[in-house]
Amino acid sequence: MLSAIKNNLGLSMTQETTLCFFATTGLSKDENNVLLSMLRLLSGKTAARWNTTDTSKADVLLVGAKPDNALVESWLKQSKPWVAYIGADHVHRDSTHQLQAPIRVFPLLSLLQELESALKINASDSRDDSRQASCKANPQAWLFAEQLRKLSKA
């Protein structure tokens, strides 16, 4: 069903060569679900294909309001990128990147592109730039994402 909606909105699904993973700590179940939904929605719009996993396989850690501090300290020792999820009840941290709550499509897309640059992922081989340009020119295509975000809050 989701793929049919995405195809109708002009968000075609393609195979990317690079897989990247987020691990999360301190996010609510709803926030994790919204993140996963948004990552699926953005599939094919970035150089890499993004998903969530546990910390042992992750490329990036997303830290929310109530993180496992031992996990965060362990992550920092690995010198991998991490993202502070900033909101009304979240504490600002000295992170390599930030994402403002609630999760929205365009800020997440921008963050993914920044992370791909930091992880040195080559965009030229992984996506069709003409598809991405047509999606940016059609803001109606992102109504689905906004509706999905609103449903997650209900």
Side-chain angles (χ1 to χ4, degrees), residues 95-128:
S95 59
T96 56
H97 303 277
Q98 295 180 356
L99 181 63
Q100 185 70 37
I103 298 173
R104 297 186 186 271
V105 173
F106 287 117
L108 180 59
L109 178 61
S110 178
L111 172 66
L112 295 177
Q113 291 168 340
E114 287 176 23
L115 291 169
E116 289 168 357
S117 177
L119 294 169
K120 296 177 177 41
I121 296 171
N122 186 357
S124 62
D125 298 332
S126 301
R127 69 171 190 248
D128 179 356

Side-chain angles (χ1 to χ4, degrees), residues 1-16 35-46 48-51 105 131 134-135 138 140-146 148:
M1 171 94 176
L2 180 60
S3 61
I5 293 170
K6 287 170 70 173
N7 287 335
N8 286 339
L9 292 173
L11 303 173
S12 58
M13 298 174 64
T14 60
Q15 292 281 349
E16 284 78 31
L35 174 65
L36 184 57
S37 296
M38 293 290 183
L39 291 175
R40 288 180 180 158
L41 178 73
L42 292 171
S43 180
K45 303 302 168 203
T46 61
R49 182 172 173 219
W50 289 87
N51 208 335
V105 173
R131 252 194 355 261
S134 69
C135 218
N138 183 4
Q140 295 297 323
W142 296 105
L143 286 177
F144 173 72
E146 196 60 25
L148 182 64

Side-chain angles (χ1 to χ4, degrees), residues 16-131:
E16 284 78 31
T17 56
T18 306
L19 296 174
C20 292
F21 295 95
F22 271 104
T24 63
T25 182
L27 270 64
S28 71
K29 184 178 178 180
D30 289 339
E31 290 169 328
N32 274 313
N33 288 336
V34 170
L35 174 65
L36 184 57
S37 296
M38 293 290 183
L39 291 175
R40 288 180 180 158
L41 178 73
L42 292 171
S43 180
K45 303 302 168 203
T46 61
R49 182 172 173 219
W50 289 87
N51 208 335
T52 58
T53 190
D54 60 74
T55 55
S56 65
K57 300 174 189 170
D59 301 295
V60 178
L61 181 65
L62 181 60
V63 180
K66 299 173 183 137
D68 175 345
N69 289 325
L71 175 69
V72 174
E73 292 302 320
S74 171
W75 188 268
L76 293 176
K77 290 177 185 173
Q78 298 177 44
S79 299
K80 290 184 179 180
W82 67 287
V83 179
Y85 187 60
I86 308 296
D89 60 342
H90 300 126
V91 177
H92 174 71
R93 297 174 171 265
D94 293 327
S95 59
T96 56
H97 303 277
Q98 295 180 356
L99 181 63
Q100 185 70 37
I103 298 173
R104 297 186 186 271
V105 173
F106 287 117
L108 180 59
L109 178 61
S110 178
L111 172 66
L112 295 177
Q113 291 168 340
E114 287 176 23
L115 291 169
E116 289 168 357
S117 177
L119 294 169
K120 296 177 177 41
I121 296 171
N122 186 357
S124 62
D125 298 332
S126 301
R127 69 171 190 248
D128 179 356
D129 289 327
S130 64
R131 252 194 355 261

